[in-house]
Tab-separated table of all heavy atoms in Angstrom:
chain	number	residue	atom	x	y	z
G	258	LYS	N	-17.674	17.237	23.208
G	258	LYS	CA	-18.088	15.969	23.801
G	258	LYS	C	-18.382	14.898	22.747
G	258	LYS	O	-18.003	13.745	22.877
G	258	LYS	CB	-19.331	16.216	24.669
G	258	LYS	CG	-19.818	14.991	25.363
G	258	LYS	CD	-20.849	15.326	26.408
G	258	LYS	CE	-21.371	14.031	27.021
G	258	LYS	NZ	-22.269	14.268	28.123
G	259	ARG	N	-19.069	15.318	21.673
G	259	ARG	CA	-19.499	14.320	20.682
G	259	ARG	C	-18.414	13.994	19.666
G	259	ARG	O	-18.358	12.886	19.160
G	259	ARG	CB	-20.718	14.844	19.919
G	259	ARG	CG	-21.934	15.032	20.800
G	259	ARG	CD	-22.946	15.848	20.043
G	259	ARG	NE	-23.466	15.067	18.940
G	259	ARG	CZ	-24.662	14.504	18.933
G	259	ARG	NH1	-25.453	14.644	19.962
G	259	ARG	NH2	-25.079	13.815	17.907
G	260	LYS	N	-17.614	15.002	19.325
G	260	LYS	CA	-16.676	14.800	18.216
G	260	LYS	C	-15.197	14.872	18.604
G	260	LYS	O	-14.414	14.002	18.247
G	260	LYS	CB	-16.934	15.857	17.122
G	260	LYS	CG	-18.301	15.795	16.509
G	260	LYS	CD	-18.389	14.688	15.492
G	260	LYS	CE	-19.726	14.663	14.796
G	260	LYS	NZ	-19.947	13.441	14.035
G	261	LEU	N	-14.811	15.976	19.290
G	261	LEU	CA	-13.381	16.238	19.423
G	261	LEU	C	-12.692	15.251	20.367
G	261	LEU	O	-11.699	14.623	19.992
G	261	LEU	CB	-13.142	17.690	19.864
G	261	LEU	CG	-13.797	18.755	18.964
G	261	LEU	CD1	-13.461	20.171	19.449
G	261	LEU	CD2	-13.349	18.575	17.522
G	262	VAL	N	-13.224	15.133	21.591
G	262	VAL	CA	-12.559	14.228	22.537
G	262	VAL	C	-12.621	12.778	22.017
G	262	VAL	O	-11.589	12.083	21.980
G	262	VAL	CB	-13.143	14.393	23.968
G	262	VAL	CG1	-12.506	13.391	24.914
G	262	VAL	CG2	-12.906	15.823	24.468
G	263	PRO	N	-13.804	12.323	21.525
G	263	PRO	CA	-13.808	10.969	20.947
G	263	PRO	C	-12.827	10.815	19.782
G	263	PRO	O	-12.212	9.759	19.626
G	263	PRO	CB	-15.258	10.785	20.465
G	263	PRO	CG	-16.060	11.694	21.331
G	263	PRO	CD	-15.174	12.865	21.622
G	264	ALA	N	-12.629	11.876	18.999
G	264	ALA	CA	-11.698	11.771	17.862
G	264	ALA	C	-10.282	11.518	18.370
G	264	ALA	O	-9.582	10.623	17.883
G	264	ALA	CB	-11.736	13.047	17.029
G	265	VAL	N	-9.858	12.266	19.388
G	265	VAL	CA	-8.503	12.069	19.918
G	265	VAL	C	-8.383	10.656	20.498
G	265	VAL	O	-7.385	9.967	20.312
G	265	VAL	CB	-8.157	13.142	20.988
G	265	VAL	CG1	-6.756	12.918	21.541
G	265	VAL	CG2	-8.283	14.546	20.410
G	266	TYR	N	-9.448	10.226	21.166
G	266	TYR	CA	-9.428	8.895	21.766
G	266	TYR	C	-9.264	7.808	20.692
G	266	TYR	O	-8.507	6.849	20.853
G	266	TYR	CB	-10.713	8.687	22.575
G	266	TYR	CG	-10.750	7.366	23.271
G	266	TYR	CD1	-9.905	7.121	24.350
G	266	TYR	CD2	-11.602	6.358	22.847
G	266	TYR	CE1	-9.901	5.887	24.979
G	266	TYR	CE2	-11.610	5.125	23.476
G	266	TYR	CZ	-10.755	4.897	24.536
G	266	TYR	OH	-10.752	3.680	25.158
G	267	ASN	N	-9.961	7.974	19.586
G	267	ASN	CA	-9.837	6.992	18.499
G	267	ASN	C	-8.453	7.008	17.874
G	267	ASN	O	-7.945	5.966	17.452
G	267	ASN	CB	-10.904	7.238	17.432
G	267	ASN	CG	-12.219	6.601	17.837
G	267	ASN	OD1	-12.368	5.396	17.762
G	267	ASN	ND2	-13.148	7.413	18.321
G	268	LEU	N	-7.852	8.171	17.819
G	268	LEU	CA	-6.479	8.246	17.293
G	268	LEU	C	-5.546	7.450	18.205
G	268	LEU	O	-4.629	6.778	17.754
G	268	LEU	CB	-6.014	9.707	17.202
G	268	LEU	CG	-6.720	10.573	16.154
G	268	LEU	CD1	-6.292	12.035	16.287
G	268	LEU	CD2	-6.423	10.073	14.750
G	269	LEU	N	-5.839	7.542	19.514
G	269	LEU	CA	-5.039	6.778	20.467
G	269	LEU	C	-5.217	5.275	20.209
G	269	LEU	O	-4.246	4.526	20.113
G	269	LEU	CB	-5.470	7.142	21.900
G	269	LEU	CG	-4.908	6.260	23.006
G	269	LEU	CD1	-3.424	6.527	23.206
G	269	LEU	CD2	-5.649	6.484	24.330
G	270	LEU	N	-6.488	4.843	20.079
G	270	LEU	CA	-6.742	3.412	19.860
G	270	LEU	C	-6.099	2.930	18.564
G	270	LEU	O	-5.635	1.801	18.475
G	270	LEU	CB	-8.246	3.126	19.812
G	270	LEU	CG	-9.052	3.332	21.095
G	270	LEU	CD1	-10.450	2.754	20.934
G	270	LEU	CD2	-8.385	2.699	22.306
G	271	ASP	N	-6.060	3.808	17.572
G	271	ASP	CA	-5.452	3.414	16.284
G	271	ASP	C	-3.929	3.467	16.319
G	271	ASP	O	-3.279	3.143	15.325
G	271	ASP	CB	-5.957	4.342	15.164
G	271	ASP	CG	-7.379	4.003	14.762
G	271	ASP	OD1	-7.891	2.962	15.225
G	271	ASP	OD2	-7.988	4.766	13.989
G	272	GLY	N	-3.392	3.940	17.428
G	272	GLY	CA	-1.934	3.977	17.572
G	272	GLY	C	-1.257	5.047	16.737
G	272	GLY	O	-0.077	4.939	16.415
G	273	VAL	N	-1.996	6.101	16.359
G	273	VAL	CA	-1.366	7.132	15.529
G	273	VAL	C	-1.154	8.457	16.276
G	273	VAL	O	-0.556	9.393	15.742
G	273	VAL	CB	-2.188	7.413	14.241
G	273	VAL	CG1	-2.118	6.234	13.306
G	273	VAL	CG2	-3.633	7.758	14.566
G	274	LEU	N	-1.666	8.500	17.490
G	274	LEU	CA	-1.498	9.723	18.279
G	274	LEU	C	-0.047	9.827	18.740
G	274	LEU	O	0.576	8.802	19.020
G	274	LEU	CB	-2.423	9.614	19.498
G	274	LEU	CG	-2.863	10.898	20.184
G	274	LEU	CD1	-3.608	11.807	19.219
G	274	LEU	CD2	-3.773	10.566	21.367
G	275	PRO	N	0.501	11.044	18.823
G	275	PRO	CA	1.845	11.127	19.376
G	275	PRO	C	1.842	10.533	20.786
G	275	PRO	O	0.817	10.584	21.478
G	275	PRO	CB	2.148	12.634	19.398
G	275	PRO	CG	0.906	13.330	19.018
G	275	PRO	CD	-0.058	12.350	18.458
G	276	PRO	N	2.968	9.990	21.227
G	276	PRO	CA	2.982	9.300	22.527
G	276	PRO	C	2.646	10.228	23.694
G	276	PRO	O	2.177	9.785	24.738
G	276	PRO	CB	4.415	8.787	22.639
G	276	PRO	CG	5.202	9.487	21.579
G	276	PRO	CD	4.245	9.939	20.535
G	277	ASN	N	2.871	11.502	23.513
G	277	ASN	CA	2.644	12.424	24.619
G	277	ASN	C	1.698	13.538	24.170
G	277	ASN	O	1.922	14.182	23.151
G	277	ASN	CB	3.984	13.010	25.064
G	277	ASN	CG	3.937	13.473	26.499
G	277	ASN	OD1	2.899	13.408	27.150
G	277	ASN	ND2	5.075	13.953	26.999
Side-chain angles (χ1 to χ4, degrees):
K258 182 168 177 174
R259 296 167 69 104
K260 298 281 184 193
L261 305 182
V262 176
V265 179
Y266 182 70
N267 277 285
L268 292 173
L269 170 72
L270 294 191
D271 284 351
V273 291
L274 203 59
N277 204 357

